[in-house]
């Protein structure tokens, strides 16, 4: 076939395969057998292989997966991807609806866009000139993972938007999920091969999108429904841009559907809040009949102008909420109770259950929290208990079925010594939690203590991740944070999955970490309730580490923000022989400058209280906090009448409102930058 004939055939195959995909995935009405579809796809791939120039960005062949990646790059969202607040009852929903009307100062009817809450993974899709150029996970809301190669394999997501009525840049948000039929088939195949199965469709979808080999993702039969718009831009001022968008959330979804982006068929426009209850009940009743998993419903104020007026609070919009379904419950038997020890020595009772499938997950463990909770429940080993997945996520024991209590039931007895290191166990006055006093000596606390010691806000040891810490401890190469600095390149390079380059990076990171600051060193020790701010306050008050080690509780309480409980934690830490031994080793290895007393001229903001809120674009929150503290200011996390200044970045929420109500001086980020520059 000639090149021009091939180009014509490729164009025809594009049109035909896209039409078949639409019939199969959107309309659920396949018009040809799978074998015929496969034949057409093989023909397209054959032509594109022979003439790579004909392999276009929007070719259906690009949905079968390409070369495997070594890792995912990061994507900064142009507009943050926010999460939703939840309500769990009719009263909580009514309270939400009332807050909406009160904030709008409106008695008018407010329409709501109602949607099932899909149990999948939120993603953003960026189209430029109609072509899909980028896909990313939500991540932390500001930065996500670039999963473009995997998203391109999802057959219901168009690689090119339909028609030509779209802006130059269109970024949409939606949910990637695995339909129930695909999930069941995936697990059936895994069982047949003797492989591990997925617990639920959400885990399967998330795991599929994070496959480095897109060919694996392509075989998982993922699907997508759009639920909103993130960003729109029009280079020319002639037509589209923001003007292209409807002022209705529901109508915007319909616009996106016309562009080929699939819209959940159960989405509905409600005339007012009174229709919410019936939609919620209908979707809950239909839950088992739907082709996808859901864990509730979502209600959004439909009017976009009202959405903008309502704005956002913290990391969620004020104009939308998820109305979650009641947690699913089942009955099972408590077989035994183990006791786990956390980083701070907290001893937590963990129920070992006869495995039970509840809320889409097989549950075999549940936390019992503490001794008070056990007494409240009146629970004993071998009791039959009711298990609930709170919010369909965390397994909880909510009650004991006393009428089923067997004769062999027995009391749950808490240990009097640590089950790991045999150190004494104490229960502080006013606390419900038992704690091991072993500190850095305790094997259970050891891994978490070393992870904290090397974390970004502590010593920030390059090349030392959580998994490597666990491996080093498991192989008995380290037992305390001080042992890190005794590691050699030979120790590390001979470990599994560690080459010479990785070993070099770690040793270099450890050499660099030997020099630090006093506040970072104090924070790195992991003393209970001594965070970054408290560590800085201790350093600035005592000026050197020797004075902190020998300080009594009375003197410690003279430090700003250090109360009786924190003072006791500090003195107890430095009274433990094994802690003293580790700290002495660290002092012989590491160095940091003492804190120099600053003059009044060097601390022009002394005793001024600042609060930071919203997103700072010119500097990070941590950087702004550090610079303010260097000038003598105190940086608090909450607004009060004692607050001197609130720094309001982008998307400032409830703190800004409270500051305005209290008459607190408000600074923009530009004003903060000017203030800091003035005093440098």
């Amino acid at each position: 076939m000639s090149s021009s004939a091939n180009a014509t055939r490729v164009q025809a195959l594009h049109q035909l395969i896209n039409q078949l995909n639409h019939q199969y995935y959107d309309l659920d009405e396949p018009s040809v057998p799978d074998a015929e579809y496969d034949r057409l796809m093989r023909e397209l791939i054959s032509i594109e292989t022979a003439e790579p120039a004909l392999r276009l960005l929007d070719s259906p062949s690009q949905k079968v997966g390409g070369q495997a990646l070594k890792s995912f790059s990061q994507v900064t969202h142009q507009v943050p991807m926010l999460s939703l607040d939840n309500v769990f009852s009719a009263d909580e929903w009514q309270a939400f609806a009332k807050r909406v009307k009160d904030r709008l100062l409106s008695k008018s009817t407010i329409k709501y866009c109602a949607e099932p809450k899909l149990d999948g993974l939120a993603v953003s899709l960026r189209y430029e000139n109609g072509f899909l150029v980028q896909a990313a996970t939500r991540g932390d809301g500001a930065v996500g993972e670039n999963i473009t190669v995997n998203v391109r394999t999802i057959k219901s997501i168009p690689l090119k938007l339909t028609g030509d009525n779209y802006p130059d840049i269109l970024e949409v948000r939606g949910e990637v999920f695995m339909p129930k039929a695909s999930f069941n088939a995936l697990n059936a195949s895994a069982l047949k091969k003797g492989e591990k199965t997925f617990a639920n469709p959400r885990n399967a979808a998330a795991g599929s999108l994070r496959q480095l080999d897109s060919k694996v993702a392509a075989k998982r039969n993922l699907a997508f429904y759009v639920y909103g718009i993130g960003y729109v831009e029009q280079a020319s001022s002639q037509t589209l841009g923001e003007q292209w968008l409807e002022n209705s959330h529901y109508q915007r979804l319909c616009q996106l559907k016309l562009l080929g982006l699939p819209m959940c068929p159960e989405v509905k426009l409600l005339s007012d809040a009174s229709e919410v209850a019936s939609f919620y009940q209908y979707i809950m009743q239909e839950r088992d009949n739907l082709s996808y998993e859901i864990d509730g419903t979502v209600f959004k104020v439909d009017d976009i102008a009202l959405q903008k007026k309502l704005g956002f609070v913290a990391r969620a919009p004020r104009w939308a909420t998820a109305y979650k379904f009641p947690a699913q419950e089942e009955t099972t038997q408590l077989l035994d109770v183990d006791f786990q020890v956390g980083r701070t020595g907290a001893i937590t009772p963990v129920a070992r259950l006869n495995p039970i499938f509840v809320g889409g997950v097989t549950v075999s463990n549940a936390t019992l929290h503490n001794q008070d909770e056990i007494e409240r429940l009146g629970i004993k080993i071998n009791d039959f208990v009711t298990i609930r997945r709170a919010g369909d996520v965390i397994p909880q024991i909510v009650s004991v079925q006393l009428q089923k209590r067997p004769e062999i039931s027995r009391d749950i007895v808490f240990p009097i010594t640590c089950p790991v290191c045999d150190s004494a166990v104490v229960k502080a006055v006013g606390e419900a939690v038992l704690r091991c006093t072993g500190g850095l000596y305790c094997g259970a606390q050891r891994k978490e203590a070393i992870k904290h010691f090397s974390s970004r806000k502590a010593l920030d040891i390059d090349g030392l991740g959580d998994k490597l810490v666990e491996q080093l401890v498991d192989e008995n190469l380290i037992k305390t944070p001080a042992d890190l600095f005794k590691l050699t390149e030979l120790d590390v390079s001979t470990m599994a999955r560690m080459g010479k380059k990785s070993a070099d990076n770690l040793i270099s990171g450890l050499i660099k970490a030997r020099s630090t600051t006093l506040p970072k060193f104090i924070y790195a020790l992991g003393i209970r309730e001594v965070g970054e701010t408290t560590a800085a306050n201790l350093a600035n008050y005592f000026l050197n580490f020797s004075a902190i080690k020998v300080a009594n509780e009375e003197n410690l309480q003279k430090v700003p923000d250090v109360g009786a409980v924190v003072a006791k934690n500090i003195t107890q830490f430095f009274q433990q022989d094994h802690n003293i031994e580790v700290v002495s080793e660290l002092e012989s290895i590491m160095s940091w400058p003492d804190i120099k007393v600053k003059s009044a001229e060097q601390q022009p903001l002394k005793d001024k209280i600042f609060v930071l809120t919203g997103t700072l674009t010119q500097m990070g929150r941590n950087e702004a906090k550090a610079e303010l503290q260097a000038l003598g200011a105190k940086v608090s996390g909450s607004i009060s009448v004692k607050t001197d200044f609130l720094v309001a970045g982008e998307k400032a929420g409830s703190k800004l409102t409270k500051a305005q109500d209290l008459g607190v001086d408000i600074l923009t980020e530009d004003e903060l930058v000017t203030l800091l520059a003035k005093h440098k």
Side-chain angles (χ1 to χ4, degrees), residues 558-595:
K558 295 177 182 177
V559 178
D561 299 325
V562 174
V565 173
V566 176
K568 189 173 185 65
N569 290 339
I570 295 169
T571 56
Q572 284 185 339
F573 180 88
F574 289 113
Q575 288 168 0
Q576 296 284 341
D577 290 341
H578 30 261
N579 289 343
I580 294 171
E581 183 180 341
V582 173
V583 168
S584 295
E585 279 195 86
L586 289 170
E587 285 184 280
S588 69
I589 297 168
M590 301 180 65
S591 63
W592 53 84
D594 288 343
I595 304 296

Side-chain angles (χ1 to χ4, degrees), residues 552-668:
N552 58 32
E553 291 182 35
E554 182 181 352
N555 286 335
L556 285 166
Q557 289 184 63
K558 295 177 182 177
V559 178
D561 299 325
V562 174
V565 173
V566 176
K568 189 173 185 65
N569 290 339
I570 295 169
T571 56
Q572 284 185 339
F573 180 88
F574 289 113
Q575 288 168 0
Q576 296 284 341
D577 290 341
H578 30 261
N579 289 343
I580 294 171
E581 183 180 341
V582 173
V583 168
S584 295
E585 279 195 86
L586 289 170
E587 285 184 280
S588 69
I589 297 168
M590 301 180 65
S591 63
W592 53 84
D594 288 343
I595 304 296
K596 295 180 179 179
V597 178
K598 293 185 177 180
S599 64
E601 291 76 20
Q602 292 174 306
Q603 291 187 298
L605 300 180
K606 185 173 174 59
D607 296 330
K608 295 294 183 183
I609 299 176
F610 284 72
V611 173
L612 307 175
T613 188
T615 302
L616 301 182
T617 58
Q618 299 178 54
M619 62 173 66
R621 293 272 283 272
N622 288 336
E623 181 186 350
K625 179 179 178 180
E627 292 202 27
L628 286 167
Q629 289 175 334
L631 295 171
K634 298 178 181 178
V635 181
S636 174
S638 58
I639 292 283
S640 73
V641 292
K642 295 181 180 179
T643 304
D644 295 295
F645 297 98
L646 173 79
V647 179
E650 294 180 3
K651 309 290 186 186
S654 58
K655 289 180 182 177
L656 176 58
T657 303
K658 188 172 182 180
Q660 291 168 335
D661 293 341
L662 293 175
V664 173
D665 287 336
I666 297 170
L667 301 178
T668 64

Side-chain angles (χ1 to χ4, degrees), residues 237-546:
S237 58
Q238 296 175 357
T239 50
L240 302 175
E242 284 283 341
Q243 304 93 312
W244 168 77
L245 296 170
E246 295 283 351
N247 189 49
S248 157
H249 187 88
Y250 178 79
Q251 292 301 330
R252 286 187 174 188
L253 294 182
C254 293
Q255 283 182 284
L256 297 177
K257 184 178 180 181
L258 290 175
L259 297 180
L261 290 157
M263 170 183 169
C264 178
E266 277 70 39
V267 173
K268 185 178 180 182
L269 181 60
L270 308 182
S271 60
D272 59 43
S274 66
E275 295 184 5
V276 163
S278 59
F279 181 87
Y280 174 85
Q281 292 296 330
Y282 167 75
I283 292 296
M284 187 160 59
Q285 290 168 6
E286 287 295 306
R287 183 179 190 178
D288 292 338
N289 299 324
L290 297 174
S291 63
Y292 48 85
E293 284 284 356
I294 60 174
D295 58 359
T297 51
V298 175
F299 297 100
K300 303 171 182 175
V301 171
D302 186 63
D303 189 296
I304 302 299
L306 295 184
Q307 287 186 7
K308 291 179 178 178
K309 189 174 180 180
L310 287 163
F312 304 83
V313 55
R315 299 173 68 85
R318 289 194 180 98
W319 43 265
T321 193
Y323 191 165
K324 301 291 286 290
F325 292 146
Q328 294 176 312
E329 299 181 349
E330 290 289 351
T331 296
T332 190
Q333 190 172 22
L334 172 62
L335 302 178
D336 205 350
V337 174
D338 294 339
F339 295 91
Q340 294 182 346
V341 184
R343 182 182 72 81
T344 61
I347 296 178
T348 303
V350 178
R352 303 304 181 194
L353 307 167
N354 192 11
I356 187 74
F357 193 75
V358 52
V361 170
T362 299
V363 174
S364 56
N365 305 319
T367 178
L368 286 166
H369 299 292
N370 51 52
Q371 199 164 13
D372 290 354
E373 177 69 1
I374 288 172
E375 291 174 0
R376 185 189 70 78
L377 289 169
I379 192 170
K380 295 187 177 186
I381 294 172
N382 291 318
D383 274 347
F384 287 88
V385 295
T386 301
I387 298 294
R388 174 192 297 159
R389 292 192 64 217
D392 280 354
V393 178
I394 305 168
Q396 288 183 318
I397 295 178
V398 293
S399 63
V400 178
Q401 298 181 15
L402 295 175
Q403 72 278 11
K404 290 186 177 182
R405 173 165 284 171
E407 293 183 3
I408 59 171
S409 65
R410 52 191 171 90
D411 292 339
I412 298 169
V413 180
F414 274 70
I416 58 174
T417 60
C418 174
V420 176
C421 71
D422 211 32
S423 296
V425 168
V426 298
K427 184 176 181 181
V429 176
E431 287 194 354
V433 178
L434 289 170
R435 294 185 188 276
C436 163
T437 59
L440 299 177
Y441 169 77
C442 178
Q445 300 176 63
R446 187 175 298 150
K447 289 181 181 178
E448 297 307 316
I450 296 172
K451 289 176 187 177
H452 175 81
F453 183 81
S454 59
S455 64
R456 183 175 59 83
K457 292 182 179 180
L459 295 192
D460 193 16
I461 300 175
D462 188 33
L464 186 60
D466 288 354
K467 290 185 178 179
L468 181 53
V469 168
E470 293 179 4
Q471 190 177 356
L472 288 166
V473 174
D474 290 342
E475 296 187 21
N476 291 317
L477 289 172
I478 58 174
K479 292 184 177 180
T480 72
D483 291 339
L484 286 168
F485 299 102
K486 302 173 188 175
L487 290 170
T488 66
E489 183 182 321
L490 181 62
D491 290 332
V492 181
S493 61
T494 55
M495 294 170 59
R497 300 185 298 277
M498 286 293 290
K500 186 177 185 304
K501 184 175 180 181
S502 297
D504 288 344
N505 288 340
L506 176 58
I507 299 302
S508 297
L510 288 167
I511 292 171
K512 182 180 177 182
R514 288 171 180 257
S515 299
T516 186
T517 65
L518 180 54
K520 281 184 174 290
F521 179 73
I522 297 167
Y523 174 72
L525 292 177
I527 302 170
R528 190 166 156 247
E529 295 189 44
V530 176
E532 288 180 280
T533 301
T534 303
N537 289 341
L538 287 165
N540 290 328
Y541 184 86
F542 288 103
L543 305 181
N544 62 76
F545 188 59
S546 297

